[in-house]
Amino acid sequence: MKARATWFDGCIILMLIILNLLVIVPFFYVIVVSFSPASESLGGQFYLWPKEWSFDAYSYLLGAKDFIRSFKNSFIITALGTMINLVISISLAYALSKRYLPGRRFIQLMVLFTLMFQGGLIPSYLIIKNLHLVNTYWAIVLPAATNAFTVFVMRAFFQSLPESIDEAARIDGAGEYRILLQIVIPLSMPIIATFSLFFVVQYWNDYFASVIYLNDTHLWPLQPLLRQMIASSSQIPSDANVDPGDLAQFGPNLKNAAILLAMIPIIVIYPFLQKYFAKGALLGSVKG
């Protein structure tokens, strides 16, 4: 029996090693290619380690106006969208967590309805167009300002907080806004930090909405530009300031360097929210 358990544990460990390699090796390859000279990467002269390290691709990207502008657009959209998403989601979830809210069941049904049914792409585009939001950051931010899943998980977390804290605050004369800002939010940092990470990743990686609603390439965030660089024969839009001839000189180096630079903000943010992530991801759903 013990030998069988040891064999089973060995198989599990082997599977985990293989899965980790499937993630680590491609990521490592992107890093190595981005730092290799163009002649090596284009000629296939290395596999997992370059003969010579080069920073040419990064120097070029950090000096390219279109890449810097797209990076700035992504930052603005992500910061604005995350802030609006948190404000709306926390406010709605806190209100729905109170049993004495007039029309609470009806509002919950309306929120739940959006989880089961959606309007579709064409009605959504017509609404954005009629509101004159096309070619603005708001076309990306407002349609994703909140969602039913976030609201219900946050509501469940707020309901799990002890009612005695709420009652004590009311006895001391605190109103709803003060209770929310000074008591509920500080106690709810795990769930708030978790969804903040979700929102940041959602807006930073957004591609489809940018292509649909942003016809002006100067408003493009990083993802559409990366798509053009990787998939298009000219790598970038025809009206961009980056010379396609220069891109061809770098080849895979420039593409992999752009991918790596696009991942850095998420890699930097994640360690600060990691301690809340596992805890916050379970609390609201389990206690709901």
Side-chain angles (χ1 to χ4, degrees), residues 65-285:
K65 295 181 180 179
D66 282 272
F67 186 82
I68 299 300
R69 181 172 56 240
S70 295
F71 205 97
K72 182 189 71 173
N73 292 337
S74 288
F75 180 81
I76 294 174
I77 291 173
T78 301
L80 185 63
T82 301
M83 180 182 64
I84 292 177
N85 228 315
L86 285 175
V87 171
I88 295 178
S89 299
I90 292 173
S91 302
L92 181 56
Y94 177 73
L96 293 178
S97 68
K98 303 303 178 183
R99 303 183 186 278
Y100 53 79
L101 175 69
R104 176 170 173 264
R105 290 189 176 182
F106 176 76
I107 297 175
Q108 288 184 155
L109 287 174
M110 294 298 293
V111 175
L112 182 62
F113 183 84
T114 64
L115 185 63
M116 298 183 293
F117 303 97
Q118 297 182 356
L121 177 60
I122 294 178
S124 299
Y125 181 82
L126 292 177
I127 291 175
I128 296 297
K129 183 179 179 181
N130 291 333
L131 292 175
H132 305 289
L133 297 179
V134 176
N135 284 330
T136 66
Y137 294 139
W138 298 110
I140 311 299
V141 172
L142 292 182
T146 189
N147 59 78
F149 173 77
T150 303
V151 171
F152 281 121
V153 173
M154 283 190 172
R155 184 207 61 170
F157 185 90
F158 293 155
Q159 287 178 335
S160 69
L161 297 176
E163 294 184 5
S164 57
I165 299 178
D166 188 78
E167 294 172 356
R170 295 184 188 281
I171 292 175
D172 291 337
E176 295 291 352
Y177 289 105
R178 187 174 180 182
I179 293 174
L180 175 62
L181 295 176
Q182 298 185 5
I183 298 177
V184 174
I185 290 181
L187 292 175
S188 306
M189 284 310 299
I191 197 73
I192 293 175
T194 300
F195 278 104
S196 296
L197 181 61
F198 288 165
F199 298 150
V200 168
V201 173
Q202 169 190 334
Y203 284 108
W204 188 264
N205 291 335
D206 179 76
Y207 163 76
F208 185 74
S210 303
V211 174
I212 296 297
Y213 299 124
L214 300 180
N215 301 322
D216 185 359
T217 57
H218 290 81
L219 296 175
W220 271 10
L222 271 175
Q223 304 309 322
L225 183 65
L226 289 178
R227 169 65 179 170
Q228 287 280 29
M229 291 177 65
I230 294 172
S232 176
S233 58
S234 59
Q235 278 81 31
I236 56 171
S238 58
D239 59 345
N241 295 324
V242 182
D243 186 2
D246 292 336
L247 287 172
Q249 176 185 355
F250 291 104
N253 309 54
L254 193 67
K255 298 177 183 180
N256 285 276
I259 292 173
L260 191 60
L261 289 175
M263 290 190 294
I264 287 178
I266 304 300
I267 295 174
V268 171
I269 291 174
Y270 183 76
F272 295 99
L273 302 177
Q274 184 180 12
K275 62 180 180 180
Y276 298 110
F277 185 78
K279 182 180 179 182
L282 293 175
L283 280 177
S285 57

